């Protein structure tokens, strides 16, 4: 049974699953908290595919609208982020089916450094990440998606399988191939 929210300060302590269950009961405040938690992450993910901030923002907005409209379909035994990323990926795929992608230049990805000791170390790590993700962007979109979900979004193999609609074995094999191809490219 979902935890009932008595005031807005309690909301930040709830898990994603608890918030989604509250949203199923019509709690807009709970869904707003989920939007706050995931909008920037999903935007960065979609932007790497579209290379257009405006387009990525539209897709993210559509993803949250669809999530709100279909929140009762969310299954709390799975991660909310997996469900949300699935919606976002499908909307992105639909976008590219409707409109042919425009040729893009390689751009800097905003990847945060986990731990830095000096400003120089930080710059070196950021440059390495930039090169890594620019190179990864040249992989097949499926391989790029898997790498992003695994290493940026820190999703488990099970979550990635659910997000992409593939089996866990297929995800493991594809991740291995993606890493091998990326290593050759680097």
């Amino acid at each position: 049974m979902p935890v009932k929210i008595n005031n807005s300060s309690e909301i930040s302590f709830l898990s994603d699953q608890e918030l989604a269950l509250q949203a199923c009961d019509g709690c807009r405040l709970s869904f707003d908290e989920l939007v706050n938690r995931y909008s920037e992450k999903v935007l960065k993910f979609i932007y790497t595919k579209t290379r257009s901030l405006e387009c990525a923002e539209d897709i993210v907005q559509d993803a949250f609208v669809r999530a709100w409209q279909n929140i009762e379909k969310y299954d709390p035994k799975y991660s909310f982020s997996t469900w949300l990323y699935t919606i976002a990926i499908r909307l992105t795929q639909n976008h590219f089916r409707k409109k042919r992608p425009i040729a893009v230049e390689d751009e800097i990805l905003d990847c945060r450094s986990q731990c830095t000791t000096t400003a120089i170390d930080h710059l070196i790590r950021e440059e390495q990440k930039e090169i890594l993700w620019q190179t990864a962007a040249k992989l097949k979109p499926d391989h790029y998606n898997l790498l992003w979900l695994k290493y940026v979004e820190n999703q488990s193999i099970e979550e990635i399988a659910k997000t992409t609609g593939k089996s866990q074995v297929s995800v493991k094999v594809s991740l291995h191939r993606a890493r091998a191809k990326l290593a050759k490219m680097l």
Side-chain angles (χ1 to χ4, degrees):
M1 174 163 212
V3 175
K4 293 295 178 191
I5 300 168
N6 294 323
N7 63 56
S8 60
S9 64
E10 294 177 5
I11 223 163
S12 62
F13 297 107
L14 296 178
S15 70
D16 294 343
Q17 286 77 2
E18 290 170 325
L19 290 169
L21 289 173
Q22 290 292 330
C24 283
D25 288 340
C27 180
R28 182 63 188 206
L29 193 60
S30 294
F31 191 78
D32 289 346
E33 177 65 18
L34 290 168
V35 171
N36 289 337
R37 289 182 186 183
Y38 285 99
S39 59
E40 187 176 328
K41 291 178 183 181
V42 176
L43 179 64
K44 286 180 184 178
F45 177 69
I46 299 303
Y47 175 75
T48 62
K49 305 195 166 320
T50 64
R51 298 294 184 167
S52 162
L53 185 58
E54 182 179 321
C55 181
E57 287 172 340
D58 289 345
I59 291 171
V60 170
Q61 182 176 356
D62 288 346
F64 281 110
V65 168
R66 296 258 175 108
W68 175 250
Q69 291 171 338
N70 296 292
I71 193 72
E72 72 281 349
K73 295 179 183 176
Y74 167 69
D75 185 348
K77 68 181 177 184
Y78 300 107
S79 165
F80 176 80
S81 65
T82 299
W83 184 69
L84 181 62
Y85 276 96
T86 301
I87 293 169
I89 286 171
R90 288 181 181 157
L91 286 171
T92 305
Q93 290 168 342
N94 290 342
H95 166 76
F96 284 117
R97 282 188 196 114
K98 293 176 186 170
K99 179 179 178 182
R100 295 187 53 81
I102 299 169
V104 296
E105 300 175 15
D106 288 340
E107 296 180 25
I108 298 172
L109 296 176
D110 181 25
C111 297
R112 293 192 173 108
S113 178
Q114 291 181 6
C115 179
T116 60
T117 54
T118 68
I120 293 172
D121 289 340
H122 176 75
L123 291 174
I124 290 170
R125 286 187 181 134
E126 289 301 313
E127 186 175 327
Q128 290 170 341
K129 286 179 186 178
E130 178 184 332
I131 292 167
L132 176 79
W133 287 109
Q134 284 177 350
T135 305
K138 296 174 186 172
L139 294 170
K140 294 189 318 187
D142 185 50
H143 284 168
Y144 180 86
N145 289 348
L146 294 173
L147 290 170
W148 184 274
L149 292 171
K150 178 69 176 163
Y151 297 106
V152 176
E153 299 303 326
N154 296 316
Q155 288 191 2
S156 67
I157 297 297
E158 182 181 352
E159 291 172 322
I160 295 170
K162 180 81 172 146
T163 300
T164 60
K166 296 181 177 209
S167 70
Q168 290 184 34
V169 171
S170 176
V171 168
K172 288 178 185 178
V173 169
S174 294
L175 266 172
H176 174 75
R177 289 179 181 160
R179 285 189 295 258
K181 286 181 182 179
L182 182 58
K184 283 183 182 179
M185 292 168 75
L186 291 171

mmCIF file with all atom_site columns, all heavy atoms in Angstrom, residues 72-94:
data_model
loop_
_atom_site.group_PDB
_atom_site.id
_atom_site.type_symbol
_atom_site.label_atom_id
_atom_site.label_alt_id
_atom_site.label_comp_id
_atom_site.label_asym_id
_atom_site.label_entity_id
_atom_site.label_seq_id
_atom_site.pdbx_PDB_ins_code
_atom_site.Cartn_x
_atom_site.Cartn_y
_atom_site.Cartn_z
_atom_site.occupancy
_atom_site.B_iso_or_equiv
_atom_site.pdbx_formal_charge
_atom_site.auth_seq_id
_atom_site.auth_comp_id
_atom_site.auth_asym_id
_atom_site.auth_atom_id
_atom_site.pdbx_PDB_model_num
ATOM 1   N N   . GLU A 1 72 ? -1.063 4.513  -14.552 1.00 0.00 ? 72 GLU A N   1
ATOM 2   C CA  . GLU A 1 72 ? -1.704 3.330  -13.973 1.00 0.00 ? 72 GLU A CA  1
ATOM 3   C C   . GLU A 1 72 ? -1.144 2.038  -14.575 1.00 0.00 ? 72 GLU A C   1
ATOM 4   O O   . GLU A 1 72 ? -1.297 0.964  -13.994 1.00 0.00 ? 72 GLU A O   1
ATOM 5   C CB  . GLU A 1 72 ? -3.229 3.390  -14.156 1.00 0.00 ? 72 GLU A CB  1
ATOM 6   C CG  . GLU A 1 72 ? -3.719 3.180  -15.568 1.00 0.00 ? 72 GLU A CG  1
ATOM 7   C CD  . GLU A 1 72 ? -3.588 4.400  -16.480 1.00 0.00 ? 72 GLU A CD  1
ATOM 8   O OE1 . GLU A 1 72 ? -3.303 5.508  -15.988 1.00 0.00 ? 72 GLU A OE1 1
ATOM 9   O OE2 . GLU A 1 72 ? -3.767 4.246  -17.704 1.00 0.00 ? 72 GLU A OE2 1
ATOM 10  N N   . LYS A 1 73 ? -0.434 2.130  -15.702 1.00 0.00 ? 73 LYS A N   1
ATOM 11  C CA  . LYS A 1 73 ? 0.180  0.957  -16.326 1.00 0.00 ? 73 LYS A CA  1
ATOM 12  C C   . LYS A 1 73 ? 1.558  0.647  -15.741 1.00 0.00 ? 73 LYS A C   1
ATOM 13  O O   . LYS A 1 73 ? 2.137  -0.394 -16.033 1.00 0.00 ? 73 LYS A O   1
ATOM 14  C CB  . LYS A 1 73 ? 0.297  1.161  -17.831 1.00 0.00 ? 73 LYS A CB  1
ATOM 15  C CG  . LYS A 1 73 ? -1.050 1.255  -18.521 1.00 0.00 ? 73 LYS A CG  1
ATOM 16  C CD  . LYS A 1 73 ? -0.878 1.492  -20.005 1.00 0.00 ? 73 LYS A CD  1
ATOM 17  C CE  . LYS A 1 73 ? -2.237 1.656  -20.673 1.00 0.00 ? 73 LYS A CE  1
ATOM 18  N NZ  . LYS A 1 73 ? -2.097 1.982  -22.094 1.00 0.00 ? 73 LYS A NZ  1
ATOM 19  N N   . TYR A 1 74 ? 2.089  1.565  -14.948 1.00 0.00 ? 74 TYR A N   1
ATOM 20  C CA  . TYR A 1 74 ? 3.400  1.354  -14.334 1.00 0.00 ? 74 TYR A CA  1
ATOM 21  C C   . TYR A 1 74 ? 3.329  0.177  -13.354 1.00 0.00 ? 74 TYR A C   1
ATOM 22  O O   . TYR A 1 74 ? 2.426  0.102  -12.531 1.00 0.00 ? 74 TYR A O   1
ATOM 23  C CB  . TYR A 1 74 ? 3.866  2.618  -13.605 1.00 0.00 ? 74 TYR A CB  1
ATOM 24  C CG  . TYR A 1 74 ? 5.050  2.373  -12.708 1.00 0.00 ? 74 TYR A CG  1
ATOM 25  C CD1 . TYR A 1 74 ? 6.300  2.088  -13.251 1.00 0.00 ? 74 TYR A CD1 1
ATOM 26  C CD2 . TYR A 1 74 ? 4.919  2.366  -11.330 1.00 0.00 ? 74 TYR A CD2 1
ATOM 27  C CE1 . TYR A 1 74 ? 7.374  1.831  -12.435 1.00 0.00 ? 74 TYR A CE1 1
ATOM 28  C CE2 . TYR A 1 74 ? 5.989  2.114  -10.508 1.00 0.00 ? 74 TYR A CE2 1
ATOM 29  C CZ  . TYR A 1 74 ? 7.217  1.839  -11.059 1.00 0.00 ? 74 TYR A CZ  1
ATOM 30  O OH  . TYR A 1 74 ? 8.286  1.569  -10.255 1.00 0.00 ? 74 TYR A OH  1
ATOM 31  N N   . ASP A 1 75 ? 4.297  -0.724 -13.451 1.00 0.00 ? 75 ASP A N   1
ATOM 32  C CA  . ASP A 1 75 ? 4.381  -1.887 -12.562 1.00 0.00 ? 75 ASP A CA  1
ATOM 33  C C   . ASP A 1 75 ? 5.489  -1.631 -11.545 1.00 0.00 ? 75 ASP A C   1
ATOM 34  O O   . ASP A 1 75 ? 6.664  -1.607 -11.897 1.00 0.00 ? 75 ASP A O   1
ATOM 35  C CB  . ASP A 1 75 ? 4.687  -3.136 -13.379 1.00 0.00 ? 75 ASP A CB  1
ATOM 36  C CG  . ASP A 1 75 ? 4.666  -4.411 -12.563 1.00 0.00 ? 75 ASP A CG  1
ATOM 37  O OD1 . ASP A 1 75 ? 4.646  -4.329 -11.312 1.00 0.00 ? 75 ASP A OD1 1
ATOM 38  O OD2 . ASP A 1 75 ? 4.656  -5.489 -13.166 1.00 0.00 ? 75 ASP A OD2 1
ATOM 39  N N   . PRO A 1 76 ? 5.154  -1.450 -10.265 1.00 0.00 ? 76 PRO A N   1
ATOM 40  C CA  . PRO A 1 76 ? 6.155  -1.074 -9.256  1.00 0.00 ? 76 PRO A CA  1
ATOM 41  C C   . PRO A 1 76 ? 7.202  -2.142 -8.954  1.00 0.00 ? 76 PRO A C   1
ATOM 42  O O   . PRO A 1 76 ? 8.167  -1.858 -8.252  1.00 0.00 ? 76 PRO A O   1
ATOM 43  C CB  . PRO A 1 76 ? 5.315  -0.759 -8.012  1.00 0.00 ? 76 PRO A CB  1
ATOM 44  C CG  . PRO A 1 76 ? 4.020  -1.429 -8.226  1.00 0.00 ? 76 PRO A CG  1
ATOM 45  C CD  . PRO A 1 76 ? 3.806  -1.507 -9.702  1.00 0.00 ? 76 PRO A CD  1
ATOM 46  N N   . LYS A 1 77 ? 7.058  -3.327 -9.492  1.00 0.00 ? 77 LYS A N   1
ATOM 47  C CA  . LYS A 1 77 ? 8.121  -4.318 -9.271  1.00 0.00 ? 77 LYS A CA  1
ATOM 48  C C   . LYS A 1 77 ? 9.337  -4.016 -10.150 1.00 0.00 ? 77 LYS A C   1
ATOM 49  O O   . LYS A 1 77 ? 10.394 -4.591 -9.974  1.00 0.00 ? 77 LYS A O   1
ATOM 50  C CB  . LYS A 1 77 ? 7.615  -5.739 -9.451  1.00 0.00 ? 77 LYS A CB  1
ATOM 51  C CG  . LYS A 1 77 ? 7.238  -6.137 -10.842 1.00 0.00 ? 77 LYS A CG  1
ATOM 52  C CD  . LYS A 1 77 ? 6.730  -7.570 -10.864 1.00 0.00 ? 77 LYS A CD  1
ATOM 53  C CE  . LYS A 1 77 ? 6.276  -7.936 -12.267 1.00 0.00 ? 77 LYS A CE  1
ATOM 54  N NZ  . LYS A 1 77 ? 5.704  -9.257 -12.331 1.00 0.00 ? 77 LYS A NZ  1
ATOM 55  N N   . TYR A 1 78 ? 9.170  -3.084 -11.096 1.00 0.00 ? 78 TYR A N   1
ATOM 56  C CA  . TYR A 1 78 ? 10.272 -2.635 -11.940 1.00 0.00 ? 78 TYR A CA  1
ATOM 57  C C   . TYR A 1 78 ? 10.642 -1.201 -11.591 1.00 0.00 ? 78 TYR A C   1
ATOM 58  O O   . TYR A 1 78 ? 9.849  -0.454 -11.035 1.00 0.00 ? 78 TYR A O   1
ATOM 59  C CB  . TYR A 1 78 ? 9.900  -2.725 -13.426 1.00 0.00 ? 78 TYR A CB  1
ATOM 60  C CG  . TYR A 1 78 ? 9.569  -4.118 -13.870 1.00 0.00 ? 78 TYR A CG  1
ATOM 61  C CD1 . TYR A 1 78 ? 8.264  -4.492 -14.133 1.00 0.00 ? 78 TYR A CD1 1
ATOM 62  C CD2 . TYR A 1 78 ? 10.568 -5.076 -13.996 1.00 0.00 ? 78 TYR A CD2 1
ATOM 63  C CE1 . TYR A 1 78 ? 7.951  -5.785 -14.527 1.00 0.00 ? 78 TYR A CE1 1
ATOM 64  C CE2 . TYR A 1 78 ? 10.268 -6.372 -14.389 1.00 0.00 ? 78 TYR A CE2 1
ATOM 65  C CZ  . TYR A 1 78 ? 8.957  -6.716 -14.651 1.00 0.00 ? 78 TYR A CZ  1
ATOM 66  O OH  . TYR A 1 78 ? 8.661  -7.990 -15.030 1.00 0.00 ? 78 TYR A OH  1
ATOM 67  N N   . SER A 1 79 ? 11.809 -0.813 -11.962 1.00 0.00 ? 79 SER A N   1
ATOM 68  C CA  . SER A 1 79 ? 12.286 0.542  -11.710 1.00 0.00 ? 79 SER A CA  1
ATOM 69  C C   . SER A 1 79 ? 11.462 1.555  -12.516 1.00 0.00 ? 79 SER A C   1
ATOM 70  O O   . SER A 1 79 ? 11.171 1.338  -13.699 1.00 0.00 ? 79 SER A O   1
ATOM 71  C CB  . SER A 1 79 ? 13.760 0.632  -12.113 1.00 0.00 ? 79 SER A CB  1
ATOM 72  O OG  . SER A 1 79 ? 14.181 1.954  -12.206 1.00 0.00 ? 79 SER A OG  1
ATOM 73  N N   . PHE A 1 80 ? 11.100 2.660  -11.885 1.00 0.00 ? 80 PHE A N   1
ATOM 74  C CA  . PHE A 1 80 ? 10.380 3.720  -12.589 1.00 0.00 ? 80 PHE A CA  1
ATOM 75  C C   . PHE A 1 80 ? 11.234 4.261  -13.737 1.00 0.00 ? 80 PHE A C   1
ATOM 76  O O   . PHE A 1 80 ? 10.720 4.544  -14.825 1.00 0.00 ? 80 PHE A O   1
ATOM 77  C CB  . PHE A 1 80 ? 9.996  4.858  -11.635 1.00 0.00 ? 80 PHE A CB  1
ATOM 78  C CG  . PHE A 1 80 ? 9.346  6.009  -12.342 1.00 0.00 ? 80 PHE A CG  1
ATOM 79  C CD1 . PHE A 1 80 ? 8.008  5.957  -12.692 1.00 0.00 ? 80 PHE A CD1 1
ATOM 80  C CD2 . PHE A 1 80 ? 10.081 7.137  -12.683 1.00 0.00 ? 80 PHE A CD2 1
ATOM 81  C CE1 . PHE A 1 80 ? 7.403  7.011  -13.375 1.00 0.00 ? 80 PHE A CE1 1
ATOM 82  C CE2 . PHE A 1 80 ? 9.478  8.186  -13.360 1.00 0.00 ? 80 PHE A CE2 1
ATOM 83  C CZ  . PHE A 1 80 ? 8.144  8.123  -13.704 1.00 0.00 ? 80 PHE A CZ  1
ATOM 84  N N   . SER A 1 81 ? 12.537 4.401  -13.499 1.00 0.00 ? 81 SER A N   1
ATOM 85  C CA  . SER A 1 81 ? 13.403 4.954  -14.540 1.00 0.00 ? 81 SER A CA  1
ATOM 86  C C   . SER A 1 81 ? 13.405 4.068  -15.782 1.00 0.00 ? 81 SER A C   1
ATOM 87  O O   . SER A 1 81 ? 13.426 4.577  -16.909 1.00 0.00 ? 81 SER A O   1
ATOM 88  C CB  . SER A 1 81 ? 14.826 5.159  -14.021 1.00 0.00 ? 81 SER A CB  1
ATOM 89  O OG  . SER A 1 81 ? 15.427 3.932  -13.694 1.00 0.00 ? 81 SER A OG  1
ATOM 90  N N   . THR A 1 82 ? 13.367 2.769  -15.605 1.00 0.00 ? 82 THR A N   1
ATOM 91  C CA  . THR A 1 82 ? 13.320 1.849  -16.741 1.00 0.00 ? 82 THR A CA  1
ATOM 92  C C   . THR A 1 82 ? 12.059 2.103  -17.566 1.00 0.00 ? 82 THR A C   1
ATOM 93  O O   . THR A 1 82 ? 12.110 2.190  -18.792 1.00 0.00 ? 82 THR A O   1
ATOM 94  C CB  . THR A 1 82 ? 13.342 0.391  -16.247 1.00 0.00 ? 82 THR A CB  1
ATOM 95  O OG1 . THR A 1 82 ? 14.550 0.175  -15.524 1.00 0.00 ? 82 THR A OG1 1
ATOM 96  C CG2 . THR A 1 82 ? 13.264 -0.590 -17.397 1.00 0.00 ? 82 THR A CG2 1
ATOM 97  N N   . TRP A 1 83 ? 10.944 2.229  -16.884 1.00 0.00 ? 83 TRP A N   1
ATOM 98  C CA  . TRP A 1 83 ? 9.668  2.476  -17.561 1.00 0.00 ? 83 TRP A CA  1
ATOM 99  C C   . TRP A 1 83 ? 9.700  3.810  -18.296 1.00 0.00 ? 83 TRP A C   1
ATOM 100 O O   . TRP A 1 83 ? 9.307  3.913  -19.466 1.00 0.00 ? 83 TRP A O   1
ATOM 101 C CB  . TRP A 1 83 ? 8.545  2.437  -16.515 1.00 0.00 ? 83 TRP A CB  1
ATOM 102 C CG  . TRP A 1 83 ? 7.166  2.567  -17.050 1.00 0.00 ? 83 TRP A CG  1
ATOM 103 C CD1 . TRP A 1 83 ? 6.479  1.649  -17.809 1.00 0.00 ? 83 TRP A CD1 1
ATOM 104 C CD2 . TRP A 1 83 ? 6.274  3.672  -16.868 1.00 0.00 ? 83 TRP A CD2 1
ATOM 105 N NE1 . TRP A 1 83 ? 5.224  2.124  -18.097 1.00 0.00 ? 83 TRP A NE1 1
ATOM 106 C CE2 . TRP A 1 83 ? 5.060  3.360  -17.531 1.00 0.00 ? 83 TRP A CE2 1
ATOM 107 C CE3 . TRP A 1 83 ? 6.380  4.886  -16.202 1.00 0.00 ? 83 TRP A CE3 1
ATOM 108 C CZ2 . TRP A 1 83 ? 3.984  4.226  -17.547 1.00 0.00 ? 83 TRP A CZ2 1
ATOM 109 C CZ3 . TRP A 1 83 ? 5.293  5.747  -16.216 1.00 0.00 ? 83 TRP A CZ3 1
ATOM 110 C CH2 . TRP A 1 83 ? 4.110  5.411  -16.886 1.00 0.00 ? 83 TRP A CH2 1
ATOM 111 N N   . LEU A 1 84 ? 10.218 4.842  -17.650 1.00 0.00 ? 84 LEU A N   1
ATOM 112 C CA  . LEU A 1 84 ? 10.278 6.168  -18.256 1.00 0.00 ? 84 LEU A CA  1
ATOM 113 C C   . LEU A 1 84 ? 11.222 6.200  -19.460 1.00 0.00 ? 84 LEU A C   1
ATOM 114 O O   . LEU A 1 84 ? 10.886 6.756  -20.512 1.00 0.00 ? 84 LEU A O   1
ATOM 115 C CB  . LEU A 1 84 ? 10.723 7.201  -17.214 1.00 0.00 ? 84 LEU A CB  1
ATOM 116 C CG  . LEU A 1 84 ? 10.819 8.638  -17.700 1.00 0.00 ? 84 LEU A CG  1
ATOM 117 C CD1 . LEU A 1 84 ? 9.450  9.146  -18.167 1.00 0.00 ? 84 LEU A CD1 1
ATOM 118 C CD2 . LEU A 1 84 ? 11.363 9.526  -16.595 1.00 0.00 ? 84 LEU A CD2 1
ATOM 119 N N   . TYR A 1 85 ? 12.407 5.587  -19.326 1.00 0.00 ? 85 TYR A N   1
ATOM 120 C CA  . TYR A 1 85 ? 13.344 5.560  -20.445 1.00 0.00 ? 85 TYR A CA  1
ATOM 121 C C   . TYR A 1 85 ? 12.777 4.779  -21.629 1.00 0.00 ? 85 TYR A C   1
ATOM 122 O O   . TYR A 1 85 ? 13.036 5.117  -22.782 1.00 0.00 ? 85 TYR A O   1
ATOM 123 C CB  . TYR A 1 85 ? 14.702 4.987  -20.027 1.00 0.00 ? 85 TYR A CB  1
ATOM 124 C CG  . TYR A 1 85 ? 15.595 6.022  -19.396 1.00 0.00 ? 85 TYR A CG  1
ATOM 125 C CD1 . TYR A 1 85 ? 15.666 6.161  -18.015 1.00 0.00 ? 85 TYR A CD1 1
ATOM 126 C CD2 . TYR A 1 85 ? 16.368 6.864  -20.173 1.00 0.00 ? 85 TYR A CD2 1
ATOM 127 C CE1 . TYR A 1 85 ? 16.476 7.116  -17.433 1.00 0.00 ? 85 TYR A CE1 1
ATOM 128 C CE2 . TYR A 1 85 ? 17.189 7.824  -19.602 1.00 0.00 ? 85 TYR A CE2 1
ATOM 129 C CZ  . TYR A 1 85 ? 17.235 7.939  -18.233 1.00 0.00 ? 85 TYR A CZ  1
ATOM 130 O OH  . TYR A 1 85 ? 18.035 8.895  -17.662 1.00 0.00 ? 85 TYR A OH  1
ATOM 131 N N   . THR A 1 86 ? 12.013 3.747  -21.357 1.00 0.00 ? 86 THR A N   1
ATOM 132 C CA  . THR A 1 86 ? 11.368 3.004  -22.436 1.00 0.00 ? 86 THR A CA  1
ATOM 133 C C   . THR A 1 86 ? 10.440 3.913  -23.228 1.00 0.00 ? 86 THR A C   1
ATOM 134 O O   . THR A 1 86 ? 10.459 3.922  -24.465 1.00 0.00 ? 86 THR A O   1
ATOM 135 C CB  . THR A 1 86 ? 10.587 1.798  -21.866 1.00 0.00 ? 86 THR A CB  1
ATOM 136 O OG1 . THR A 1 86 ? 11.492 0.955  -21.158 1.00 0.00 ? 86 THR A OG1 1
ATOM 137 C CG2 . THR A 1 86 ? 9.914  1.009  -22.984 1.00 0.00 ? 86 THR A CG2 1
ATOM 138 N N   . ILE A 1 87 ? 9.649  4.696  -22.525 1.00 0.00 ? 87 ILE A N   1
ATOM 139 C CA  . ILE A 1 87 ? 8.752  5.649  -23.188 1.00 0.00 ? 87 ILE A CA  1
ATOM 140 C C   . ILE A 1 87 ? 9.567  6.646  -24.011 1.00 0.00 ? 87 ILE A C   1
ATOM 141 O O   . ILE A 1 87 ? 9.262  6.910  -25.180 1.00 0.00 ? 87 ILE A O   1
ATOM 142 C CB  . ILE A 1 87 ? 7.878  6.390  -22.143 1.00 0.00 ? 87 ILE A CB  1
ATOM 143 C CG1 . ILE A 1 87 ? 6.910  5.413  -21.470 1.00 0.00 ? 87 ILE A CG1 1
ATOM 144 C CG2 . ILE A 1 87 ? 7.117  7.546  -22.794 1.00 0.00 ? 87 ILE A CG2 1
ATOM 145 C CD1 . ILE A 1 87 ? 6.192  5.990  -20.250 1.00 0.00 ? 87 ILE A CD1 1
ATOM 146 N N   . ALA A 1 88 ? 10.616 7.199  -23.419 1.00 0.00 ? 88 ALA A N   1
ATOM 147 C CA  . ALA A 1 88 ? 11.437 8.208  -24.107 1.00 0.00 ? 88 ALA A CA  1
ATOM 148 C C   . ALA A 1 88 ? 12.127 7.633  -25.344 1.00 0.00 ? 88 ALA A C   1
ATOM 149 O O   . ALA A 1 88 ? 12.175 8.289  -26.397 1.00 0.00 ? 88 ALA A O   1
ATOM 150 C CB  . ALA A 1 88 ? 12.462 8.787  -23.132 1.00 0.00 ? 88 ALA A CB  1
ATOM 151 N N   . ILE A 1 89 ? 12.644 6.427  -25.238 1.00 0.00 ? 89 ILE A N   1
ATOM 152 C CA  . ILE A 1 89 ? 13.320 5.798  -26.388 1.00 0.00 ? 89 ILE A CA  1
ATOM 153 C C   . ILE A 1 89 ? 12.325 5.569  -27.517 1.00 0.00 ? 89 ILE A C   1
ATOM 154 O O   . ILE A 1 89 ? 12.616 5.837  -28.681 1.00 0.00 ? 89 ILE A O   1
ATOM 155 C CB  . ILE A 1 89 ? 14.002 4.484  -25.960 1.00 0.00 ? 89 ILE A CB  1
ATOM 156 C CG1 . ILE A 1 89 ? 15.256 4.789  -25.135 1.00 0.00 ? 89 ILE A CG1 1
ATOM 157 C CG2 . ILE A 1 89 ? 14.362 3.627  -27.170 1.00 0.00 ? 89 ILE A CG2 1
ATOM 158 C CD1 . ILE A 1 89 ? 15.887 3.582  -24.486 1.00 0.00 ? 89 ILE A CD1 1
ATOM 159 N N   . ARG A 1 90 ? 11.146 5.088  -27.179 1.00 0.00 ? 90 ARG A N   1
ATOM 160 C CA  . ARG A 1 90 ? 10.146 4.841  -28.223 1.00 0.00 ? 90 ARG A CA  1
ATOM 161 C C   . ARG A 1 90 ? 9.708  6.139  -28.897 1.00 0.00 ? 90 ARG A C   1
ATOM 162 O O   . ARG A 1 90 ? 9.527  6.179  -30.121 1.00 0.00 ? 90 ARG A O   1
ATOM 163 C CB  . ARG A 1 90 ? 8.963  4.092  -27.643 1.00 0.00 ? 90 ARG A CB  1
ATOM 164 C CG  . ARG A 1 90 ? 9.326  2.648  -27.334 1.00 0.00 ? 90 ARG A CG  1
ATOM 165 C CD  . ARG A 1 90 ? 8.181  1.871  -26.790 1.00 0.00 ? 90 ARG A CD  1
ATOM 166 N NE  . ARG A 1 90 ? 8.635  0.513  -26.495 1.00 0.00 ? 90 ARG A NE  1
ATOM 167 C CZ  . ARG A 1 90 ? 8.049  -0.287 -25.638 1.00 0.00 ? 90 ARG A CZ  1
ATOM 168 N NH1 . ARG A 1 90 ? 6.977  0.119  -24.979 1.00 0.00 ? 90 ARG A NH1 1
ATOM 169 N NH2 . ARG A 1 90 ? 8.533  -1.493 -25.427 1.00 0.00 ? 90 ARG A NH2 1
ATOM 170 N N   . LEU A 1 91 ? 9.548  7.199  -28.129 1.00 0.00 ? 91 LEU A N   1
ATOM 171 C CA  . LEU A 1 91 ? 9.185  8.485  -28.728 1.00 0.00 ? 91 LEU A CA  1
ATOM 172 C C   . LEU A 1 91 ? 10.300 9.002  -29.631 1.00 0.00 ? 91 LEU A C   1
ATOM 173 O O   . LEU A 1 91 ? 10.028 9.595  -30.686 1.00 0.00 ? 91 LEU A O   1
ATOM 174 C CB  . LEU A 1 91 ? 8.863  9.507  -27.635 1.00 0.00 ? 91 LEU A CB  1
ATOM 175 C CG  . LEU A 1 91 ? 7.533  9.308  -26.918 1.00 0.00 ? 91 LEU A CG  1
ATOM 176 C CD1 . LEU A 1 91 ? 7.426  10.246 -25.714 1.00 0.00 ? 91 LEU A CD1 1
ATOM 177 C CD2 . LEU A 1 91 ? 6.367  9.521  -27.870 1.00 0.00 ? 91 LEU A CD2 1
ATOM 178 N N   . THR A 1 92 ? 11.551 8.787  -29.234 1.00 0.00 ? 92 THR A N   1
ATOM 179 C CA  . THR A 1 92 ? 12.685 9.203  -30.058 1.00 0.00 ? 92 THR A CA  1
ATOM 180 C C   . THR A 1 92 ? 12.714 8.411  -31.362 1.00 0.00 ? 92 THR A C   1
ATOM 181 O O   . THR A 1 92 ? 12.937 8.976  -32.445 1.00 0.00 ? 92 THR A O   1
ATOM 182 C CB  . THR A 1 92 ? 14.007 9.028  -29.291 1.00 0.00 ? 92 THR A CB  1
ATOM 183 O OG1 . THR A 1 92 ? 13.919 9.748  -28.060 1.00 0.00 ? 92 THR A OG1 1
ATOM 184 C CG2 . THR A 1 92 ? 15.189 9.537  -30.095 1.00 0.00 ? 92 THR A CG2 1
ATOM 185 N N   . GLN A 1 93 ? 12.481 7.113  -31.262 1.00 0.00 ? 93 GLN A N   1
ATOM 186 C CA  . GLN A 1 93 ? 12.443 6.286  -32.474 1.00 0.00 ? 93 GLN A CA  1
ATOM 187 C C   . GLN A 1 93 ? 11.325 6.752  -33.399 1.00 0.00 ? 93 GLN A C   1
ATOM 188 O O   . GLN A 1 93 ? 11.524 6.844  -34.619 1.00 0.00 ? 93 GLN A O   1
ATOM 189 C CB  . GLN A 1 93 ? 12.259 4.815  -32.102 1.00 0.00 ? 93 GLN A CB  1
ATOM 190 C CG  . GLN A 1 93 ? 13.469 4.224  -31.432 1.00 0.00 ? 93 GLN A CG  1
ATOM 191 C CD  . GLN A 1 93 ? 13.208 2.865  -30.796 1.00 0.00 ? 93 GLN A CD  1
ATOM 192 O OE1 . GLN A 1 93 ? 12.071 2.484  -30.554 1.00 0.00 ? 93 GLN A OE1 1
ATOM 193 N NE2 . GLN A 1 93 ? 14.276 2.140  -30.508 1.00 0.00 ? 93 GLN A NE2 1
ATOM 194 N N   . ASN A 1 94 ? 10.167 7.063  -32.831 1.00 0.00 ? 94 ASN A N   1
ATOM 195 C CA  . ASN A 1 94 ? 9.055  7.568  -33.636 1.00 0.00 ? 94 ASN A CA  1
ATOM 196 C C   . ASN A 1 94 ? 9.412  8.893  -34.303 1.00 0.00 ? 94 ASN A C   1
ATOM 197 O O   . ASN A 1 94 ? 9.057  9.139  -35.454 1.00 0.00 ? 94 ASN A O   1
ATOM 198 C CB  . ASN A 1 94 ? 7.797  7.741  -32.787 1.00 0.00 ? 94 ASN A CB  1
ATOM 199 C CG  . ASN A 1 94 ? 7.196  6.424  -32.372 1.00 0.00 ? 94 ASN A CG  1
ATOM 200 O OD1 . ASN A 1 94 ? 7.485  5.385  -32.955 1.00 0.00 ? 94 ASN A OD1 1
ATOM 201 N ND2 . ASN A 1 94 ? 6.380  6.455  -31.339 1.00 0.00 ? 94 ASN A ND2 1
#
